[in-house]
Amino acid sequence: MSHPLRLVVLVSGSGTNLQAVLDAASSGAPFEVVAVGADRDGTGGVDRAAAAGVPTFVCKVADFDSRADWDLALARLVGDHTPDVVVSAGFMKVLGAAVLEAVPVLNTHPALLPSFPGTHGVRDALRHGVRVTGCTCHWVDAGVDTGPIVDQRAVRVEPGDTVETLHERIKVQERTMLVEVLSALATDRSWR
Ligand code: GAR
């Protein structure tokens, strides 16, 4: 039997997707979170990791002379934990070549790609007036939310929805999707 899938999770915010992954891992899912990284101080995600006893690191763009230097430093920090997969779970930075060439990166996005890529997927879908939106798990390539789709879940837009109410319902689906995708990737390693 193969070892549990080793995950480094990257976060920028509250980390509820990370929490779902941590909870699943501690309940016997076939993966483990070996480290959590953030691009800023004070994220809920890093606090959640610390509470779970998972090593953390912070790598801020502002601490480097160039974006390429940041990318190299991030690749080193990630590589120290020898992950099988990096999970971008609410990580609000575009990853560069150093990380992407070193390890497969899975991203979760709060819209049904290829519609509404970018930082404001929920807001943009709501503004457009779609009746159904959702979330997407995809491999990351050099583009913004353009890589191969692994799974998606649909969420209806309800009358009176705000960005916040809609995003909360999307995140309920997103957390389940992410855990199921990671379990499937851990079970069938033919993607490697
Ligand atoms: C998630 O909905 C994720 O899809 C989104 O940030 C949220 C993070 O929530 N990511 C993006 O919008 C990336 N473009 P969390 O911190 O509670 O897991």
Side-chain angles (χ1 to χ4, degrees), residues 4-11 13-37 43-56 87 89 174-180 182-183:
L5 199 67
R6 294 174 62 82
L7 308 174
V8 168
V9 182
L10 299 178
V11 297
S14 67
T16 66
N17 279 283
L18 164 67
Q19 190 68 56
V21 174
L22 289 167
D23 291 347
S26 66
S27 306
F31 48 77
E32 61 180 320
V33 180
V34 294
V36 169
T43 59
V46 162
D47 293 344
R48 291 173 190 275
V54 171
T56 64
V87 182
E174 204 174 6
R175 295 191 277 263
T176 307
M177 173 183 68
L178 183 57
V179 166
E180 289 181 6
L182 291 170
S183 297

Side-chain angles (χ1 to χ4, degrees), residues 11-19 45 48 88-92 107-111 117-122 135-136 144-145 167-168 170-171 174-175:
V11 297
S12 299
S14 67
T16 66
N17 279 283
L18 164 67
Q19 190 68 56
R48 291 173 190 275
S88 161
F91 189 65
M92 305 307 271
N107 181 46
T108 175
H109 180 75
T119 312
H120 300 290
V122 181
C135 48
T136 303
V144 176
D145 300 327
H167 199 173
E168 278 312 311
I170 290 171
K171 281 168 65 166
E174 204 174 6
R175 295 191 277 263

Side-chain angles (χ1 to χ4, degrees), residues 29-144:
F31 48 77
E32 61 180 320
V33 180
V34 294
V36 169
D39 64 331
R40 60 196 72 184
D41 293 321
T43 59
V46 162
D47 293 344
R48 291 173 190 275
V54 171
T56 64
F57 58 86
V58 175
C59 190
K60 295 185 246 182
V61 172
D63 289 343
F64 296 88
D65 289 338
S66 70
R67 189 77 180 209
D69 287 349
W70 170 76
D71 187 45
L72 273 174
L74 184 60
R76 251 181 243 122
L77 286 163
V78 165
D80 283 347
H81 300 279
T82 58
D84 297 303
V85 173
V86 168
V87 182
S88 161
F91 189 65
M92 305 307 271
K93 289 277 183 304
V94 175
L95 294 165
V99 174
L100 297 178
E101 284 167 10
V103 59
V105 182
L106 193 72
N107 181 46
T108 175
H109 180 75
L112 292 175
L113 294 172
S115 294
F116 312 115
T119 312
H120 300 290
V122 181
R123 182 199 71 186
D124 295 348
L126 196 59
R127 277 191 187 163
H128 192 88
V130 296
R131 304 319 308 160
V132 177
T133 182
C135 48
T136 303
C137 224
H138 66 98
W139 294 113
V140 177
D141 64 10
V144 176

Side-chain angles (χ1 to χ4, degrees), residues 145-168:
D145 300 327
T146 51
I149 290 170
V150 180
D151 203 355
Q152 295 185 302
R153 301 291 153 94
V155 174
R156 286 197 67 79
V157 180
E158 302 294 348
D161 255 339
T162 62
V163 171
E164 290 72 29
T165 59
L166 181 56
H167 199 173
E168 278 312 311

